[in-house]
Amino acid sequence: MIVRNLKDAAGTSRCVTSPSSESIRLLLAEDGMGFTFNVTTLKPGVEVQMCYQHHLEAVYCMTGRGSIEDEATGTVHAIEAGTLYALNKHDAHVLRSDSALELVCIFNPALVGTETRDASGGYPLIKNPIQQD
Amino acid sequence: MIVRNLKDAAGTSRCVTSPSSESIRLLLAEDGMGFTFNVTTLKPGVEVQMCYQHHLEAVYCMTGRGSIEDEATGTVHAIEAGTLYALNKHDAHVLRSDSALELVCIFNPALVGTETRDASGGYPLIKNPIQQD
């Protein structure tokens, strides 16, 4: 059994910051769960263009308000507490925050933790070097 | 892209209630994400003994206070907002709520949605009848 807390992860390597966000990686590939569990806070007034070509991602909004634009159709969906979106087709999208957005983000396959966003707005696929049982 | 909201799921087949909890299944096997995403509210003062022999589960506490007991060791871990526990060894456990617990629950493999808890406190493994692309 693994037990972790958001506050213990602050300031450790689990906490990845960018100018627009802070992401705490509570579960990574090395944990052998088959998915990554991140808690990500997006600052207010941010616009991020993303496309995860190698991963499926589901995002659940715990607090805040914003929107997601499906770039293939131009459709904009409102995001508020209780909204989930799932990028089941590796959908190119733009995420916008009106207020700070506190999000749960699940990636499949799991991230190893060293990925950095590439030019396409996604993460490369990195094989987990740690043997899972 | 799939977009769903907790409030739209209330009163539908996505919402599964028991005497001790309400669970809203925002993603199921049919969605092809490889995991299930549930938002579960456990009532205050509840004690639930569980063991998922066929699934891995991660649980994140959004609000509330309670505890989880690892039955193998007897260790009790406090649960509060920001706590995640992951049953990476199909761990037998007892979940207790002091106040209402609002939880995100991720299952791998994904649930099809018709599972009911068996005598061991877990779910049977049901193959997804829907072809995924």
Side-chain angles (χ1 to χ4, degrees):
Chain A
M1 183 184 300
I2 297 165
V3 181
R4 293 182 180 135
N5 196 294
L6 213 58
K7 65 187 179 196
D8 298 333
T12 73
S13 61
R14 293 194 178 282
C15 183
V16 179
T17 58
S18 80
S20 60
S21 67
E22 178 184 85
S23 184
I24 295 181
R25 299 172 172 190
L26 287 173
L27 290 174
L28 288 167
E30 65 192 23
D31 296 310
M33 295 293 288
F35 55 85
T36 286
F37 194 113
N38 292 347
V39 175
T40 299
T41 304
L42 201 63
K43 293 180 180 175
V46 166
E47 178 177 293
V48 193
Q49 188 172 25
M50 290 174 277
C51 183
Y52 296 105
Q53 297 177 22
H54 306 294
H55 299 84
L56 300 172
E57 187 197 21
V59 175
Y60 178 77
C61 177
M62 294 187 284
T63 61
R65 299 189 79 87
S67 65
I68 179 171
E69 178 180 342
D70 183 338
E71 289 203 87
T73 63
T75 306
V76 176
H77 305 273
I79 293 176
E80 60 182 8
T83 304
L84 174 137
Y85 66 82
L87 306 166
N88 60 327
K89 304 287 187 194
H90 306 283
D91 313 74
H93 63 287
V94 182
L95 178 62
R96 297 181 177 93
S97 57
D98 299 331
S99 63
L101 287 176
E102 195 184 16
L103 309 167
V104 166
C105 306
I106 312 295
F107 287 91
N108 172 22
L111 302 173
V112 299
T114 58
E115 295 87 349
T116 54
R117 210 175 289 281
D118 60 22
S120 69
Y123 293 128
L125 188 62
I126 301 177
K127 200 170 157 60
N128 179 17
I130 297 171
Q131 186 67 36
Q132 295 175 16
D133 60 10
Chain B
M1 183 184 300
I2 297 165
V3 182
R4 294 183 180 135
N5 197 294
L6 213 58
K7 66 186 179 195
D8 298 331
T12 73
S13 61
R14 292 194 179 282
C15 183
V16 179
T17 58
S18 79
S20 60
S21 67
E22 179 184 84
S23 184
I24 295 182
R25 298 172 171 190
L26 287 173
L27 290 174
L28 288 166
E30 64 192 23
D31 296 311
M33 296 293 288
F35 54 86
T36 287
F37 194 113
N38 292 347
V39 175
T40 299
T41 304
L42 201 64
K43 293 181 180 174
V46 166
E47 178 178 294
V48 192
Q49 189 172 25
M50 290 173 277
C51 183
Y52 295 106
Q53 297 178 21
H54 307 294
H55 299 85
L56 300 172
E57 187 195 22
V59 175
Y60 178 77
C61 177
M62 294 188 285
T63 62
R65 297 189 80 87
S67 65
I68 179 170
E69 179 180 342
D70 184 337
E71 290 201 87
T73 63
T75 306
V76 176
H77 304 272
I79 294 176
E80 60 183 7
T83 304
L84 173 137
Y85 66 83
L87 306 166
N88 61 327
K89 305 287 187 194
H90 306 282
D91 313 74
H93 63 288
V94 182
L95 178 62
R96 297 181 177 93
S97 57
D98 298 331
S99 62
L101 287 176
E102 194 182 18
L103 308 167
V104 167
C105 306
I106 312 295
F107 287 91
N108 172 22
L111 302 173
V112 301
T114 57
E115 294 87 350
T116 54
R117 211 175 288 281
D118 60 23
S120 69
Y123 293 128
L125 188 63
I126 301 178
K127 200 169 157 60
N128 179 17
I130 297 170
Q131 185 68 35
Q132 296 175 16
D133 59 10

